Amino acid sequence: MSKRSNEPIVWSLFGAGGVVVAHTMPVLIFVTGIAVPLGLVSADVLAYERLAGLADGWFGKLFLLVIISLPLWQSAHRIFLSLHDFGITGGETFFRVVFYGAALWGTLLPLFLLVGM
Amino acid sequence: MTSNDKIIEIEVLRYRPEQDEKPFLQSFKVPFTDDQSVLQGVQYIKDYLDGSLSFRWSCRMAICGSCGMMINGVPKLSCKTFLREYYPGKITLEALKHFPIEKDLIIDLSDFINKLESIKPYIIPAAPRTLEQGEYLQTPRQLDRIAQFSSCINCMLCYAACPQYGLKPDYLGPAAITLLHRYNEDNRDAAKAERMQLLNAHEGVWGCTLVGYCSDVCPKDVDPAAAINRNKLNSTMDYFLRFVAPRGGN
């Protein structure tokens, strides 16, 4: 009964991802999905050069890494738990590798690209 | 029974282990008035229609936590639920989900009792006070931290609601974790480190997937889901801080 679970590792990434999603996604959806297409904001806001400029500084790199990586951990852990809620109890190791692996890939790839920019 | 009484159909899941191979539904026609609870409905069945029907009850006013059952598939206290809410439809009563049936609507609650005992649901002070030293003091603010979680009456509706408890019977479960939280957060208690070991386990707080139905069904408006999630944070702090703080961050 008292063997310590390792879930705090993914749960803390999941929790941080939830906070990031809650605070940034509504704004990002508004800007990219509503404001720019409806012409409320100039399309220049999303111009490639302007956005790529974000990755010039270390603060921008960190911001991009955070909003790309953490929501992936949030989704991966939520999907993994939902499988259990739906009664799919077998193959836990397989699903862990698939979902957490995807989130890890979605963390390491942008990290590699951002550091190299 | 007067001529003004309405008649409602109550289906009860019967199971008498000495004579039935498996549970079956038995239907009764029960006269009722608008002020009668579902518990009074089953009491009518026992008194006038079938004296062998078995169920637990005591206080009739949502304090003792004995009369929980599945009412049309939802875990509820039968004393706090009224027949009029279901009329003219019928009511189906079953023993609380996820527990073994002992007889009819009576469940075997030993698993819950064992879990409740395991969390040590009482104040364990750092140093016991003598009579001369007087009572253990607590400010209103300190009481506020635990008041909402101390309203649990051990009725087990949250266990019947929790899909994770149904899937993993080892899971400590909503009420036990809520009461564990209630004692861990009590300023007069000093046994947090000991109780954290139960929380930190896979069968502890990590058995929860935040479905939240436990808090919906609680008849005392306790919020077990909140207690569990606060302790996911506590357990996470404990997990990482044990590397920097000598006593696991407690």
Side-chain angles (χ1 to χ4, degrees):
Chain A
M1 186 80 195
S2 59
K3 189 170 175 287
R4 190 187 273 275
S5 167
N6 288 315
E7 192 161 327
I9 298 169
V10 274
W11 186 83
S12 49
L13 292 166
F14 162 83
V19 172
V20 168
V21 167
H23 283 91
T24 61
M25 282 299 154
V27 179
L28 290 178
I29 290 169
F30 176 76
V31 172
T32 59
I34 298 170
V36 170
L38 290 181
L40 300 174
V41 173
S42 160
D44 295 341
V45 172
L46 295 180
Y48 175 77
E49 292 74 21
R50 189 181 148 89
L51 287 183
L54 249 185
D56 281 345
W58 284 106
F59 182 77
K61 287 183 200 290
L62 184 68
F63 175 76
L64 287 170
L65 182 66
V66 160
I67 63 164
I68 293 168
S69 159
L70 290 180
L72 286 172
W73 285 102
Q74 203 269 341
S75 312
H77 190 52
R78 186 66 260 172
I79 295 169
F80 178 73
L81 292 183
S82 298
L83 284 176
H84 202 270
D85 289 338
F86 285 120
I88 303 168
T89 49
E92 283 202 3
T93 309
F94 171 75
F95 288 122
R96 268 185 223 273
V97 170
V98 170
F99 296 128
Y100 299 149
L104 187 64
W105 177 244
T107 303
L108 294 179
L109 184 66
L111 181 71
F112 177 75
L113 292 175
L114 285 165
V115 169
M117 272 179 93
Chain B
M1 178 175 174
T2 66
S3 55
N4 295 333
D5 285 351
K6 290 176 276 194
I7 308 277
I8 189 164
E9 183 185 356
I10 302 182
E11 260 186 347
V12 186
L13 191 73
R14 301 297 307 272
Y15 178 62
R16 299 153 298 180
E18 70 282 5
Q19 57 193 106
D20 301 326
E21 278 213 0
K22 55 181 182 183
F24 65 97
L25 286 168
Q26 188 179 1
S27 182
F28 299 96
K29 300 267 193 243
V30 176
F32 74 102
T33 50
D34 279 347
D35 59 350
Q36 282 184 339
S37 64
V38 173
L39 175 63
Q40 285 173 298
V42 286
Q43 284 173 326
Y44 182 92
I45 296 173
K46 188 168 180 74
D47 290 346
Y48 298 103
L49 305 176
D50 187 340
S52 72
L53 180 66
S54 301
F55 50 96
R56 284 196 182 100
W57 65 280
S58 178
C59 78
R60 317 177 312 279
M61 47 189 166
I63 288 172
C64 74
S66 308
C67 69
M69 52 186 77
M70 305 302 290
I71 303 180
N72 285 5
V74 179
K76 286 172 182 261
L77 292 183
S78 57
C79 68
K80 211 187 169 201
T81 310
F82 288 85
L83 293 168
R84 62 170 188 264
E85 293 168 27
Y86 298 88
Y87 185 79
K90 72 173 178 185
I91 299 181
T92 304
L93 303 177
E94 297 161 279
L96 280 180
K97 213 173 157 186
H98 303 152
F99 290 95
I101 299 176
E102 220 163 75
K103 188 185 179 202
D104 296 336
L105 298 172
I106 296 177
I107 52 147
D108 176 359
L109 43 75
S110 37
D111 181 55
F112 172 69
I113 296 297
N114 291 338
K115 283 171 179 162
L116 189 60
E117 277 181 17
S118 75
I119 60 129
K120 305 201 167 152
Y122 37 84
I123 289 168
I124 304 173
R129 292 168 74 86
T130 62
L131 274 180
E132 292 71 38
Q133 287 173 304
E135 58 274 75
Y136 296 91
L137 297 178
Q138 186 164 58
T139 65
R141 193 176 183 152
Q142 286 167 332
L143 174 64
D144 276 350
R145 288 174 67 88
I146 58 164
Q148 112 99 287
F149 303 108
S150 66
S151 301
C152 174
I153 56 173
N154 305 332
C155 68
M156 294 165 285
L157 297 193
C158 52
Y159 284 76
C162 175
Q164 291 303 321
Y165 178 63
L167 291 163
K168 299 176 293 199
D170 286 343
Y171 172 39
L172 194 51
I177 294 177
T178 302
L179 285 166
L180 184 154
H181 179 67
R182 176 250 175 276
Y183 287 97
N184 268 2
E185 293 298 312
D186 195 309
N187 64 293
R188 301 163 296 182
D189 182 271
K192 186 171 184 175
E194 194 181 336
R195 296 197 193 93
M196 283 307 288
Q197 292 178 19
L198 292 172
L199 282 186
N200 292 336
H202 187 63
E203 297 81 9
V205 81
W206 302 109
C208 166
T209 62
L210 192 47
V211 173
Y213 194 30
C214 50
S215 297
D216 279 357
V217 301
C218 178
K220 305 304 286 183
D221 296 321
V222 178
D223 193 349
I228 296 167
N229 273 282
R230 283 182 205 183
N231 283 292
K232 283 184 184 168
L233 187 61
N234 289 342
S235 180
T236 300
M237 303 276 276
D238 191 79
Y239 186 87
F240 290 111
L241 290 182
R242 76 197 146 122
F243 299 118
V244 286
R247 292 198 53 220
N250 284 314

